Amino acid sequence: MSQHDRDVDIESREKKSDSSKVASTLIKYVTYLIIFFGILWFLINYILPML
């Protein structure tokens, strides 16, 4: 059996921090924060003065 006939396993390693996943997660949480502060602003400006 010659050197070229052997099966060689080649490992391909991917980076753990996929930039598209990081970006989409960041956008998701920023959206949550904007909605949260929007509701908080609405409560402070419209509901609280009525009490």
Side-chain angles (χ1 to χ4, degrees):
M1 189 182 248
S2 70
Q3 189 80 15
H4 297 289
D5 291 338
R6 294 182 189 159
D7 290 331
V8 178
D9 290 332
I10 299 172
E11 289 186 25
S12 63
R13 295 177 187 247
E14 295 182 10
K15 288 183 177 179
K16 286 280 187 185
S17 61
D18 188 9
S19 62
S20 62
K21 282 185 182 180
V22 172
S24 63
T25 305
L26 181 69
I27 290 169
K28 183 172 68 173
Y29 286 115
V30 167
T31 305
Y32 290 159
L33 283 174
I34 290 172
I35 291 171
F36 173 75
F37 284 115
I39 292 171
L40 202 63
W41 178 85
F42 174 78
L43 289 172
I44 290 171
N45 283 309
Y46 290 102
I47 306 300
L48 238 60
M50 291 180 186
L51 298 177

